[in-house]
């Protein structure tokens, strides 16, 4: 009983005392936000046809649909072109801010609003990658995904180094101003009745906004450490829970996809992969598709291998080596899908979801390689770059409005 109690206490201490997976949460932050940013930039010339008030799926039709399914989208607050351009631009800026890790808590919230607003405006133009982004944008709000590889982490490290040298760090002004602007926008939307399709999103937005204000106030004026420790515990529990949900979601996607494929006759006879390769919509490189489909043996191996990998992956989490091997196979498969079938953003979204299972040692080495490459580029450009400071746990989340 004592051993069991000790194990449970250690588990509780780890879940509440540390935000687990800082590198994994950072890589999925960069992956999902980068995927959405690239999509928005790629479709910028076609944005009016996809999501604008003059598109085939008109404003009135979208309004009727959201009134029925209670989906949130800020694009339907007005049918004016100026409002659409403003929302689209804010979605691009929020995605870029989240990729860079600038004011990550606020950026993750705006990223979620941008994703939901655009996708729920025209629900019939998406694919599986859009569904993954839709869900992950909500989960990212609960994570402390700015601990490493972010501008927030760099700013917090510099502030900590300055305090260690006895240098006074000026008070943060950008965070409170940003918080006040967002509060004004939320208050205006609430008082004018814009949140008329459900309570989930407005409650989430107001809760996060109030939490950010409380976090800053406690960090600035609390005389005792206990209130800050309590907020840290709550944030760690939410982060670890959200990270577990993201992992479970990825496993559920692969498991359901694999078991549904097992029931299909074309997957059973080994010919399912052949047919998409010969659809015009999925053939950006017809010559490459013809080359791949010219061998029946290859088609059968790819078809059966896809099913086996998807069904088996959730069970391989109990064996690190097998899991890592299957991760390589799945990411390579998505890379092939991106090129051969012309689905780059679907593949990027799935690769980002897979990245949550990457080992920490690999991600650290990847970060070190990126830092050295950045240093070489900077030296070749003739300017000095400070050496990176590898840290196990960033202090970014201990500065108000930063992570």
């Amino acid at each position: 009983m004592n051993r069991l109690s000790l194990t449970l206490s250690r588990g509780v201490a780890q879940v509440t005392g540390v935000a687990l997976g800082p590198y994994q949460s950072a890589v999925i932050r960069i992956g999902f936000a980068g995927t959405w940013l690239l999509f928005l930039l790629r479709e910028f010339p076609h944005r009016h046809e996809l999501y604008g008030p003059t598109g085939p799926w008109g404003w009135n039709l979208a309004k009727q649909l959201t009134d029925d399914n209670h989906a949130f989208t800020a694009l339907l607050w007005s049918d004016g072109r100026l409002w659409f351009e403003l929302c689209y631009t804010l979605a691009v800026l929020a995605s870029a801010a989240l990729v860079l890790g600038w004011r990550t808590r606020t950026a993750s919230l705006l990223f979620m609003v941008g994703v939901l607003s655009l996708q729920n405006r025209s629900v019939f133009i998406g694919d599986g990658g859009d569904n993954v982004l839709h869900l992950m944008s909500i989960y990212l709000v609960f994570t402390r995904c700015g601990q490493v590889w972010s501008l927030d982490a760099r700013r917090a490290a510099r502030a900590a180094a300055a305090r260690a040298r006895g240098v006074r760090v000026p008070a943060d002004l950008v965070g409170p101003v940003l918080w006040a602007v967002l509060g004004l926008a939320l208050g205006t939307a609430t008082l004018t009745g814009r949140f008329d399709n459900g309570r989930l999103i407005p409650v989430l937005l107001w809760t996060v906004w109030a939490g950010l204000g409380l976090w800053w106030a406690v960090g600035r004026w609390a005389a005792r450490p206990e209130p800050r420790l309590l907020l840290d515990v709550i944030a760690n529990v939410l982060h670890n829970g959200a990270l577990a949900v993201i992992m479970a979601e990825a496993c559920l996607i692969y498991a359901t996809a694999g078991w549904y494929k097992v029931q299909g006759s074309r997957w059973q006879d080994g010919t399912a992969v052949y047919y998409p390769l010969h659809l015009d919509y999925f053939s950006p490189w017809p010559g490459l598709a013809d080359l791949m489909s010219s061998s029946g043996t290859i088609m059968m191996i790819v078809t059966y291998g896809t099913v086996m990998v998807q069904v088996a992956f959730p069970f391989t989490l109990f064996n690190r080596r097998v899991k890592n091997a299957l991760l390589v196979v799945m990411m390579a498969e998505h890379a092939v899908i991106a090129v051969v079938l012309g689905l780059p953003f679907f593949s990027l979204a799935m690769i980002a979801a897979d990245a949550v299972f990457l080992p920490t040692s690999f991600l650290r080495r990847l970060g070190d390689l990126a830092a050295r490459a950045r240093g070489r580029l900077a030296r070749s450009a003739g300017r000095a770059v400070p050496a990176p400071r590898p840290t196990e746990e960033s202090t970014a989340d201990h500065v108000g409005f930063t992570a």
Side-chain angles (χ1 to χ4, degrees):
M1 180 61 69
N2 291 336
R3 181 177 299 179
L4 177 61
S5 301
L6 183 61
T7 302
L8 290 176
S9 63
R10 287 177 178 174
V12 171
Q14 188 174 24
V15 170
T16 59
V18 179
L20 301 174
Y23 293 92
Q24 287 78 4
S25 58
V27 78
I28 62 175
R29 181 200 85 226
I30 296 170
F32 288 121
T35 299
W36 185 240
L37 177 62
L38 291 175
F39 174 79
L40 293 179
L41 294 177
R42 202 278 299 268
E43 299 298 341
F44 188 82
H46 314 290
R47 64 192 184 281
H48 296 115
E49 290 79 9
L50 292 176
Y51 304 113
T54 60
W57 186 249
W59 190 88
N60 291 326
L61 290 173
K63 187 65 175 175
Q64 293 178 24
L65 181 60
T66 55
D67 288 342
D68 183 61
N69 62 15
H70 304 291
F72 167 80
T73 170
L75 285 178
L76 296 181
W77 290 357
S78 172
D79 59 353
R81 181 168 181 173
L82 180 61
W83 176 249
F84 166 74
E85 298 290 357
L86 178 62
C87 289
Y88 199 94
T89 302
L90 287 177
V92 171
L93 295 177
S95 302
L98 193 57
V99 169
L100 297 175
W102 183 81
R103 308 289 167 173
T104 316
R105 285 195 180 102
T106 303
S108 64
L109 197 67
L110 295 176
F111 174 73
M112 179 195 70
V113 171
V115 171
L116 297 183
S117 295
L118 290 169
Q119 289 189 354
N120 290 336
R121 168 63 178 82
S122 300
V123 297
F124 299 109
I125 63 173
D127 55 25
D130 293 309
N131 294 333
V132 174
L133 273 170
H134 194 105
L135 294 171
M136 297 302 176
S137 67
I138 300 175
Y139 301 152
L140 279 174
V141 173
F142 298 94
T143 63
R144 306 179 81 168
C145 54
Q147 297 178 93
V148 296
W149 298 347
S150 68
L151 295 179
D152 292 339
R154 186 177 68 172
R155 183 173 63 253
R158 288 178 175 177
R163 292 190 187 95
R165 296 193 304 269
V167 178
R168 181 179 179 275
V169 178
D172 179 32
L173 297 178
V174 177
V177 170
L178 199 59
W179 180 80
V181 171
L182 291 178
L184 180 61
L186 271 177
T188 303
T190 302
L191 293 176
T192 55
R194 301 300 182 182
F195 296 116
D196 56 352
N197 283 343
R199 297 182 178 179
L200 175 61
I201 297 302
V203 168
L204 177 59
L205 294 176
W206 277 113
T207 302
V208 175
W209 180 82
L212 289 175
L214 180 62
W215 189 282
W216 178 82
V218 168
R220 186 172 179 83
W221 288 307
R224 298 175 61 84
E226 287 81 1
R228 185 51 190 257
L229 291 175
L230 176 60
L231 292 179
D232 268 332
V233 168
I234 295 174
N236 290 336
V237 171
L238 289 175
H239 167 89
N240 295 331
L243 206 60
V245 170
I246 291 173
M247 297 172 71
E249 187 72 39
C251 290
L252 184 63
I253 290 172
Y254 283 115
T256 53
W259 285 109
Y260 272 112
K261 287 181 175 66
V262 168
Q263 303 174 46
S265 59
R266 293 293 177 264
W267 291 96
Q268 293 174 7
D269 61 26
T271 62
V273 176
Y274 174 85
Y275 297 101
L277 294 175
H278 293 276
L279 295 174
D280 292 338
Y281 186 77
F282 295 110
S283 298
W285 314 98
L288 181 60
D290 291 338
L291 179 64
M292 291 186 61
S293 61
S294 61
S295 173
T297 303
I298 293 178
M299 289 292 95
M300 183 181 66
I301 292 174
V302 172
T303 301
Y304 288 153
T306 299
V307 175
M308 288 188 290
V309 167
Q310 290 182 346
V311 172
F313 177 72
F315 302 100
T316 64
L317 299 182
F318 300 101
N319 188 299
R320 183 178 60 183
R321 292 182 178 178
V322 178
K323 181 261 294 181
N324 291 340
L326 281 189
L327 275 178
V328 173
V329 173
M330 291 192 301
M331 289 184 173
E333 180 184 21
H334 288 304
V336 172
I337 290 174
V339 175
V340 177
L341 297 182
L343 296 171
F345 300 109
F346 165 79
S347 298
L348 284 174
M350 292 308 303
I351 290 174
D354 295 340
V356 73
F357 299 104
L358 289 173
T360 300
S361 57
F362 170 77
L363 293 176
R364 284 179 178 171
R365 287 195 295 269
L366 188 64
D368 293 340
L369 288 174
R372 285 196 291 268
R374 173 176 170 269
R376 285 194 294 269
L377 288 174
R379 285 192 294 271
S380 65
R383 58 189 179 88
V385 174
R389 297 189 178 191
T391 57
E392 178 69 22
E393 188 176 338
S394 170
T395 58
D397 277 333
H398 299 282
V399 178
F401 298 100
T402 60

